[in-house]
Amino acid sequence: MNRFVKWESPSNIALVKYWGKHNVQLPKNPSISFTLSISKSITSVELIPKANKKVEFYFDNILNVEFGLRIEKYLSNISGELPFLNDYSFVVKSTNTFPHSAGIASSASAFSALAMCLVDLDCELNKNEFSLKKASNLARLGSGSACRSVYGGISIWGKTQDIENSANEYAIPLNNEIHSVFQTYHDDIIIIDSDKKSVSSSAGHKLMDTNPYSTEKYNQSYINTKLLYTALKDGNISEFIRIVELEALSLHSMMMVSNPSFILIKPETINIINKLREFRNDTNIPICFTLDAGPNVHILYPDENKKEVQKFIMSDINKFRVIKDCVGKGPLKL
Ligand code: PMV
């Protein structure tokens, strides 16, 4: 029988953003994220004897040649790390728990699930011990932010002297030091637009190379990493809110002042941010927002405020689809 493994792995939402890279997918500044729970990819990899076609990729059980070629290129890039990849062909099947059109970046969950499968197969074939660092490193080479998804809870990717053992090649988990309030945080994702991104993240990263404000942005994100790490340890929610919103808006400011400039937020994004801030001022309930590379608003809040916040979302932001996610436990072997 052919060897077969199957893993599920979640998406993640960055609190300090990775935007700008160099060399082989190395970040220009450290980033910190919550690994999610509900939004995930489920991926299986079957090793078959060498065939004409290196990779056959099925998404939702439908053959997807374009993504199959991307995986083929990825496998060839990482074959130095996993030499067994040269000896087989592969049938890869993947599906997402979130709707295809939800506008959620799926590359983090997709590449972390695939990397978990490949490291698992390597362990089976070569009797190695499973290494999450190795999976994180390989996930990074598929999509930078994917390296943070191999751990549950909160991860950091990118070397900074302020966090011991942090590295540019892989992410590490921060969980032991983190205050309990952040371990059960919610992320309700307001889906404003489900279209494919008008600018890919690789094009966006590249535009940072010529952005006149990029050095200042990288410096700011180093400082924000340090401050957020302290806030996460102390359970300091107001400092968390200040940094997370600043990071989201800095990310989108970078897009607006790059050459060529692009704007991914929509009028509805701004409306929701204004409503959210008004609600926070009126009630003192500590909710905040972050944004990914798109118009959708991620509403972040502590578990103890779940009732009031969900009521606010249902009454004030009720014309959009909402994915109710939260901090999760990371990948799982199926
Ligand atoms: O992993 P990529 O290359 O898709 O880049 C992700 C960039 C952001 O999602 C905007 C920020 C981040 O740190 O996840």
Side-chain angles (χ1 to χ4, degrees):
M1 216 178 76
N2 295 329
R3 279 182 195 270
F4 175 92
V5 292
K6 191 172 186 180
W7 281 80
E8 61 169 47
S9 186
S11 184
N12 68 74
I13 180 68
L15 306 169
V16 173
K17 308 291 180 183
Y18 151 60
W19 197 242
K21 60 180 172 180
H22 63 107
N23 216 313
V24 191
Q25 205 98 301
L26 296 172
K28 286 280 200 172
N29 63 261
S31 55
I32 296 184
S33 60
F34 281 148
T35 295
L36 297 178
S37 169
I38 306 290
S39 309
K40 54 195 174 192
S41 296
I42 298 162
T43 300
S44 66
V45 177
E46 186 182 0
L47 294 189
I48 55 171
K50 256 188 168 176
N52 277 347
K53 208 174 175 109
K54 182 79 183 160
V55 174
E56 221 168 81
F57 175 72
Y58 295 84
F59 186 75
D60 284 345
N61 283 323
I62 297 169
L63 185 69
N64 184 325
V65 176
E66 193 188 328
F67 209 78
L69 290 171
R70 185 166 168 200
I71 294 179
E72 204 166 307
K73 195 162 158 224
Y74 168 67
L75 297 187
S76 135
N77 286 343
I78 63 169
S79 61
E81 306 271 342
L82 299 176
F84 83 89
L85 296 177
N86 294 317
D87 303 335
Y88 296 91
S89 286
F90 301 84
V91 176
V92 182
K93 292 187 177 167
S94 197
T95 180
N96 292 336
T97 54
F98 45 93
H100 190 48
S101 59
I104 295 184
S106 57
S107 62
S109 53
F111 276 102
S112 57
L114 182 57
M116 295 301 281
C117 288
L118 297 175
V119 172
D120 195 7
L121 283 167
D122 185 44
C123 291
E124 277 190 23
L125 290 165
N126 297 314
K127 309 277 172 266
N128 300 325
E129 259 195 37
F130 197 100
S131 159
L132 283 172
K133 254 184 208 171
K134 184 161 188 164
S136 178
N137 181 24
L138 295 176
R140 180 196 109 234
L141 294 166
S143 169
S145 57
C147 73
R148 298 184 307 239
S149 273
V150 307
Y151 310 102
I154 299 175
S155 318
I156 172 174
W157 169 39
K159 176 87 195 141
T160 166
Q161 60 179 25
D162 301 313
I163 301 181
E164 216 185 331
N165 298 325
S166 56
N168 286 331
E169 292 75 19
Y170 48 82
I172 57 165
L174 288 178
N175 299 318
N176 293 340
E177 308 114 287
I178 301 299
H179 190 282
S180 57
V181 71
F182 293 116
Q183 316 251 3
T184 53
Y185 236 66
H186 288 258
D187 176 6
D188 286 358
I189 310 167
I190 314 293
I191 309 297
I192 289 173
D193 190 342
S194 54
D195 286 352
K196 204 170 170 227
K197 280 188 279 185
S198 55
V199 178
S200 70
S201 50
S202 41
H205 288 293
K206 198 150 181 36
L207 284 174
M208 284 298 275
D209 295 344
T210 53
N211 190 315
Y213 301 98
S214 58
T215 307
E216 197 40 51
K217 163 70 174 67
Y218 300 142
N219 289 339
Q220 187 194 49
S221 289
Y222 269 94
I223 293 169
N224 286 342
T225 300
K226 181 179 181 184
L227 295 176
L228 184 66
Y229 181 47
T230 307
L232 289 169
K233 286 191 290 191
D234 294 349
N236 185 342
I237 300 180
S238 55
E239 179 69 344
F240 172 89
I241 291 175
R242 187 186 71 76
I243 299 165
V244 167
E245 293 194 351
L246 175 62
E247 275 288 322
L249 295 175
S250 295
L251 168 72
H252 283 266
S253 309
M254 287 302 107
M255 299 173 187
M256 293 181 201
V257 296
S258 66
N259 183 13
S261 146
F262 60 105
I263 301 178
L264 296 185
I265 51 174
K266 303 265 183 204
E268 293 90 335
T269 312
I270 307 278
N271 280 340
I272 292 175
I273 290 174
N274 286 335
K275 277 188 185 167
L276 180 153
R277 285 183 163 175
E278 207 178 295
F279 173 75
R280 185 168 71 215
N281 285 339
D282 291 350
T283 61
N284 273 330
I285 290 172
I287 66 172
C288 68
F289 67 89
T290 189
L291 305 166
D292 212 340
N296 301 331
V297 183
H298 291 245
I299 299 189
L300 307 176
Y301 56 92
D303 189 49
E304 69 170 34
N305 299 108
K306 181 174 161 182
K307 242 182 155 167
E308 305 98 300
V309 174
Q310 293 192 349
K311 197 167 153 214
F312 158 68
I313 293 174
M314 267 161 60
S315 63
D316 288 46
I317 318 180
N318 54 8
K319 65 175 189 169
F320 302 99
R321 190 155 49 130
V322 181
I323 295 179
K324 290 183 188 162
D325 216 324
C326 57
V327 174
K329 293 188 167 31
L332 189 70
K333 183 166 176 159
L334 301 172

